[in-house]
Amino acid sequence: MDKKDFAFGRMNFILLAIGMVIVVIGFILMAGGSSTEQAYNPDIFSARRIKVAPLVCLFGFVSMIYAVVHKSK
């Protein structure tokens, strides 16, 4: 098969992989202990979990969209 038959080039796949890793990092940042009925955990409202992690995920999704629309040479 010729390279022109593929919808994505090598760079598109590399950018998609980087975007996916960024999204996974964002979800890992959101993870942590939870509150139960017996014990309240104030860490569920930390800045890392409600501000930083969603922004990291958003950046990862935007970079994946860019990877899809990026035109290979």
Side-chain angles (χ1 to χ4, degrees), residues 2 6 9 15-16 20 26-27 32-33 39-40 49 62 64 67 69-70:
D2 195 18
F6 293 117
L15 291 173
L16 274 171
M20 189 168 293
F27 278 107
Y40 172 72
R49 293 174 89 175
V62 168
M64 288 173 67
V69 299
H70 180 261

Side-chain angles (χ1 to χ4, degrees), residues 2-65:
D2 195 18
K3 279 189 170 185
K4 294 181 181 181
D5 292 339
F6 293 117
F8 292 141
R10 178 183 167 116
M11 191 62 176
N12 294 91
F13 286 115
I14 291 172
L15 291 173
L16 274 171
I18 291 170
M20 189 168 293
V21 167
I22 293 171
V23 170
V24 169
I25 289 170
F27 278 107
I28 289 171
L29 287 173
M30 278 190 236
S34 62
S35 291
T36 62
E37 291 182 20
Q38 291 80 20
Y40 172 72
N41 185 2
D43 190 42
I44 62 173
F45 298 112
S46 69
R48 175 185 58 107
R49 293 174 89 175
I50 64 172
K51 293 179 184 175
V52 176
L55 286 175
V56 170
C57 286
L58 178 67
F59 179 71
F61 286 123
V62 168
S63 66
M64 288 173 67
I65 291 170

